[in-house]
Amino acid sequence: MAKQKKKGQSGQAKNYITRTQAVRKLQISLPDFRRLCIFKGIYPREPRNIKKANKSATHSTTFYYTKDIQYLLHEPLLGKFREQKSLSKKIARSLGRNEVQDAVRLEKHGMPKIKLDHIVRERYPTFVDALRDLDDALSLLFLFANLPSTTAVPAKVISKCQRLCHEFEHYLITTHSLRKSFLSIKGIYYQATIQGQDIMWLVPYKFVQRVTQDVDYRIMGTFVEFYCTLVGFINYRLYTSVGLVYPPKFDAARDERGAELGAFTLEGRGITSAIDQEPQQKALTNGHEQAQNSEAVQAQIDNIAQDTGTDEEVKQDEPTGDQADAGTIDTFIPAAPEGDTLPQPDRTGDAASTLFSPCVFFISREAPRHSIEFLLRAFGCKRVGWDTVLGEGAFTHEETDPRITHQIVDRPALAQPLPSLEGQETSKTDQNLQVVKPGFIMPGRIYVQPQWVWDCVNEGKLLQTDIYAPGETLPPHLSPWVRPTSGQYDPRATLEEQELEGEAEEDGEEEETAEIDGPEDEEDEEDESEEEDEEVDAGGMDVAGSEDESEEDVDEVDAFGGFEDDADDAANSDIDEEAQHQKELEAEALGEPVPVTQTNGEAQKAKARQARKAAQTKKDEEIERQKMMMSNKKRKLYEKMQFSNAKRDTEAEKLRAKRRKVERTGKSKA
């Protein structure tokens, strides 16, 4: 006889365990259990049959896998949690005895430190696995880097997050790994490609953040604690892979003065930071720090440099085929016109490093300095300046510097040139201290709005600057990760490329009728229809005075002879008008609506409209005929596809109509 299974000892009742049972099994508190689960990546599970897993209990519970809890029994952090618990009891006992110094000593020196290095190695066996999970880590660290310090969010945590984020940004600047960025309502999205992995994260805008009480910062702080260890590992691996020393040198004094990225100095393989490269060049050219060589040694150095220069020139004149094609990107062209369009490869780091390299930028005070500086330096710009109010680390703080080629402003239109100082006796110091007042522009400089930087980055080229001039209406800023498909509305394309045949004409007629017909006209039409009904009921009598007015109109038409050159046309028009007038009289006598005369253009439009309706009707009939030959399953699938396509077309048509209306109002105002 087979052994009978007891209830609650097999199946889902055995595979799942409640949270209360797990806490009792691990012998830790509930907050420590939550921290441990977050560190180890263990989350609640939902069984298929909650009744069987809960052993017929009716109250709602949280379930975990039993194997996950057994896996936690061997975690070394459990001993650390127990040590912290016993130490907290000792501190409470010392405070109860009024032994404050002992309590401070225990809390400062006796508290065991928790290290999460082994957990990072367990959860991410390879470096690629860690890069794939970097999106959430960067988003949370950038969020905490912008929060104000409170009791729930200590200042140490915020400074640590800021430092890790700046170190990661320095790696992207050095390797030119940043690819795209997008300004959204939530914040600024960035995307970078590191070792073939696309990493996207969100950075909030630098506004004053309000710490609310409905957010549990203890749980978020636990995630931050783990992600700080993870990002520290990743930064170390990234820096060492390109030959940089980690951690980079950090100047706390410059960071307090608002240097941000400029507070770090990169070292290794002769690589200097892009932030500090220009000051070092200035220091070398001054001659104070540059060692003077003797004439004989300098002559030998010059000879060696000439020899190596000629060899390099010969090598550069005869490049190999692989070197010639190394910097180019292949483009995939479809073989057939109706074939599938293959995704084009993204630009390389070399193309990103030369986008803004020939430009010198100056950031105005009202523009977001950090995000613009990060984008410009990540795409090749070596010299970026800003006002002294925004902090240290700038290439120049003088807005009148003649080396500046582009200035990023977010103000109204600038139309007044800066008054020149020619003819005035001013010293060089006065010229350097000259400040450009709001409303003035520097001649020979390009002024653009901040969106120009993002659009250039997403397009991979320098766009026209006149569209982004101060005071101009900016083009739509669209997400670089969303590409419009066939049938969808594309804000980049013109209306003529997207409109269906006759869509603009029908929309124009509807707008004209909507403008002409109002509530008063509708009431007048109702009154006229009631009067016509009364006349028909009275025996079909005409309205008093209608014949006299019609006879007067006929006399006026007959009295006009027309021009001598167009006698035939006038005669034909007279005949048409008489026929139309006769039709109007017959309609009034019968109580029917008066037919409206149409011009040649309106007649052609009506014919075209009728032709389109006939073609659409024919097409619908053909589709219905083909649907009759389908099976029931395919017919339902086809109807679902048609429903979704019709919904998409309706939305696109509404957006096109809205854009058409905006363009018409703009033309009328102009």
Side-chain angles (χ1 to χ4, degrees):
M1 183 176 177
K3 187 177 180 180
Q4 292 182 351
K5 293 183 179 181
K6 294 183 179 180
K7 186 178 181 181
Q9 295 184 1
S10 63
Q12 297 191 41
K14 184 180 179 181
N15 294 335
Y16 293 93
I17 186 174
T18 62
R19 188 179 65 180
T20 305
Q21 294 173 351
V23 170
R24 289 177 181 174
K25 193 170 187 178
L26 296 175
Q27 297 181 2
I28 56 177
S29 61
L30 183 59
D32 290 341
F33 175 74
R34 288 173 178 167
R35 289 184 65 193
L36 188 60
C37 289
I38 291 172
F39 290 154
K40 300 291 288 186
I42 295 174
Y43 300 97
R45 307 291 179 174
E46 185 177 357
R48 299 178 187 174
N49 194 334
I50 298 178
K51 188 176 180 180
K52 290 183 179 180
N54 207 12
K55 299 178 182 179
S56 301
T58 56
H59 59 277
S60 60
T61 54
T62 305
F63 295 94
Y64 291 88
Y65 280 141
T66 305
K67 291 185 177 181
D68 291 342
I69 303 303
Q70 291 177 353
Y71 174 66
L72 291 179
L73 287 171
H74 307 283
E75 177 57 40
L77 287 181
L78 286 175
K80 296 289 183 179
F81 290 158
R82 295 188 181 106
E83 291 178 8
Q84 287 182 353
K85 187 176 181 180
S86 62
L87 184 65
S88 62
K89 290 182 179 179
K90 292 180 181 179
I91 293 173
R93 190 183 302 114
S94 299
L95 292 175
R97 294 174 180 175
N98 203 12
E99 299 174 354
V100 181
Q101 293 182 355
D102 294 342
V104 172
R105 178 180 53 82
L106 289 173
E107 186 176 4
K108 186 176 182 180
H109 301 286
M111 186 66 68
K113 296 181 180 180
I114 295 178
K115 293 185 178 180
L116 306 177
D117 301 348
H118 65 286
I119 297 180
V120 173
R121 297 191 189 97
E122 289 176 4
R123 292 184 60 176
Y124 307 105
T126 62
F127 185 62
V128 177
D129 296 334
L131 290 178
R132 289 172 182 169
D133 201 19
L134 193 58
D135 302 349
D136 297 336
L138 289 176
S139 299
L140 191 60
L141 291 187
F142 274 99
L143 173 62
F144 267 70
N146 293 327
L147 289 179
S149 61
T150 58
T151 55
V153 185
K156 292 183 179 179
V157 176
I158 296 174
S159 61
K160 188 175 182 180
C161 293
Q162 290 176 352
R163 197 169 132 199
L164 290 172
C165 294
H166 289 158
E167 290 173 358
F168 183 74
E169 288 178 346
H170 265 295
Y171 170 79
L172 298 179
I173 292 173
T174 305
T175 58
H176 304 287
S177 302
L178 195 64
R179 292 293 174 263
K180 297 175 184 178
S181 181
F182 175 62
L183 298 168
S184 70
I185 299 175
K186 297 180 180 179
I188 305 175
Y189 284 93
Y190 295 98
Q191 183 183 12
T193 303
I194 301 175
Q195 297 187 7
Q197 301 295 324
D198 292 334
I199 302 169
M200 185 188 302
W201 68 97
L202 177 64
V203 179
Y205 295 111
K206 289 198 172 182
F207 297 142
V208 178
Q209 303 289 342
R210 295 182 179 179
V211 180
T212 58
Q213 300 297 330
D214 56 348
V215 179
D216 193 350
Y217 286 94
R218 292 181 301 172
I219 296 178
M220 295 182 67
T222 305
F223 278 101
V224 168
E225 185 179 357
F226 174 74
Y227 284 149
C228 284
T229 307
L230 173 62
V231 175
F233 269 86
I234 293 175
N235 285 347
Y236 171 76
R237 182 68 178 270
L238 293 177
Y239 272 61
T240 53
S241 64
V242 295
L244 297 177
V245 177
Y246 186 82
K249 289 184 178 180
F250 176 70
D251 192 352
R254 296 187 67 186
D255 184 65
E256 290 178 358
R257 292 193 293 267
E260 294 184 353
L261 291 174
F264 294 85
T265 304
L266 305 185
E267 295 179 347
R269 287 188 187 177
I271 299 176
T272 57
S273 174
I275 311 296
D276 299 330
Q277 188 172 4
E278 195 69 23
Q280 289 179 2
Q281 292 178 359
K282 290 181 181 179
L284 292 175
T285 54
N286 287 336
H288 299 288
E289 299 180 1
Q290 188 175 4
Q292 299 293 334
N293 298 322
S294 61
E295 295 181 358
V297 176
Q298 189 64 34
Q300 293 179 1
I301 293 173
D302 295 339
N303 293 331
I304 295 172
Q306 290 178 0
D307 295 338
T308 55
T310 53
D311 295 340
E312 289 179 357
E313 290 177 359
V314 172
K315 292 180 180 179
Q316 290 178 0
D317 293 338
E318 299 177 358
T320 60
D322 298 338
Q323 292 177 355
D325 299 336
T328 59
I329 300 177
D330 297 333
T331 56
F332 301 127
I333 302 174
E338 298 180 355
D340 297 335
T341 57
L342 299 176
Q344 300 297 331
D346 201 356
R347 57 182 176 273
T348 59
D350 297 335
S353 63
T354 58
L355 183 61
F356 296 123
S357 57
C359 305
V360 181
F361 286 88
F362 188 87
I363 305 173
S364 299
R365 291 177 294 175
E366 69 279 358
R369 173 212 144 186
H370 179 76
S371 56
I372 295 177
E373 179 194 2
F374 172 56
L375 277 178
L376 293 177
R377 295 194 184 282
F379 282 86
C381 184
K382 301 296 182 182
R383 295 178 290 183
V384 183
W386 52 79
D387 195 86
T388 53
V389 179
L390 299 179
E392 288 189 358
F395 163 71
T396 179
H397 293 295
E398 300 173 3
E399 192 173 352
T400 58
D401 195 328
R403 293 173 292 181
I404 299 172
T405 59
H406 295 72
Q407 184 167 348
I408 301 173
V409 297
D410 198 6
R411 303 171 183 167
L414 307 174
Q416 300 177 2
L418 184 70
S420 61
L421 298 176
E422 297 180 0
Q424 302 179 9
E425 296 180 358
T426 54
S427 61
K428 293 183 178 180
T429 57
D430 295 338
Q431 293 180 2
N432 293 336
L433 293 176
Q434 185 187 11
V435 179
V436 180
K437 297 180 181 179
F440 290 91
I441 62 174
M442 289 289 295
R445 185 180 299 179
I446 300 174
Y447 287 83
V448 292
Q449 299 187 42
Q451 184 181 331
W452 180 77
V453 179
W454 273 268
D455 290 348
C456 290
V457 166
N458 295 333
E459 293 295 332
K461 61 181 180 180
L462 297 179
L463 302 176
Q464 296 180 359
T465 56
D466 55 348
I467 308 175
Y468 299 87
E472 294 291 332
T473 301
L474 295 173
H477 181 61
L478 306 176
S479 173
W481 300 284
V482 178
R483 296 298 179 186
T485 58
S486 59
Q488 287 185 348
Y489 172 71
D490 186 7
R492 296 185 179 92
T494 59
L495 284 174
E496 290 76 8
E497 299 175 357
Q498 306 179 69
E499 287 177 344
L500 301 177
E501 186 179 358
E503 180 182 348
E505 298 176 0
E506 295 176 359
D507 190 17
E509 292 176 0
E510 290 177 359
E511 288 183 358
E512 290 177 0
T513 54
E515 292 176 358
I516 294 172
D517 298 338
E520 297 179 357
D521 298 336
E522 293 177 358
E523 292 177 359
D524 296 340
E525 290 176 358
E526 292 177 358
D527 296 339
E528 291 176 359
S529 61
E530 290 177 359
E531 292 176 358
E532 289 175 358
D533 294 338
E534 291 176 357
E535 290 168 3
V536 172
D537 295 338
M541 296 179 64
D542 298 334
V543 180
S546 61
E547 293 182 358
D548 300 336
E549 293 175 359
S550 61
E551 289 176 358
E552 290 176 359
D553 295 339
V554 173
D555 296 338
E556 289 177 0
V557 172
D558 294 338
F560 179 73
F563 298 100
E564 295 179 357
D565 297 337
D566 301 333
D568 297 335
D569 296 339
N572 294 332
S573 63
D574 293 342
I575 294 171
D576 294 339
E577 289 180 0
E578 290 179 359
Q580 180 64 25
H581 185 65
Q582 185 65 27
K583 290 180 181 179
E584 291 177 359
L585 291 176
E586 293 177 357
E588 289 178 359
L590 296 175
E592 297 178 354
V594 180
V596 182
T597 58
Q598 293 181 348
T599 60
N600 294 331
E602 293 177 351
Q604 291 178 0
K605 290 181 182 180
K607 289 181 181 179
R609 196 182 303 110
Q610 291 178 359
R612 286 194 299 270
K613 289 182 179 179
Q616 185 65 28
T617 304
K618 187 177 180 180
K619 184 178 179 181
D620 296 340
E621 291 177 355
E622 183 65 23
I623 291 174
E624 291 295 332
R625 194 178 300 109
Q626 292 177 358
K627 286 171 62 177
M628 293 174 62
M629 305 298 294
M630 295 181 182
S631 62
N632 190 19
K633 184 178 180 181
K634 291 183 178 180
R635 189 185 302 111
K636 290 181 178 179
L637 180 61
Y638 179 76
E639 289 176 355
K640 289 181 180 179
M641 293 170 58
Q642 290 297 106
F643 178 77
S644 60
N645 293 339
K647 187 177 180 180
R648 180 197 61 194
D649 295 341
T650 304
E651 293 177 356
E653 187 176 353
K654 289 180 180 179
L655 292 173
R656 287 195 296 268
K658 187 177 181 180
R659 180 176 175 182
R660 197 180 299 113
K661 185 178 180 180
V662 170
E663 291 182 357
R664 286 175 181 173
T665 53
K667 290 181 181 179
S668 62
K669 289 180 181 179

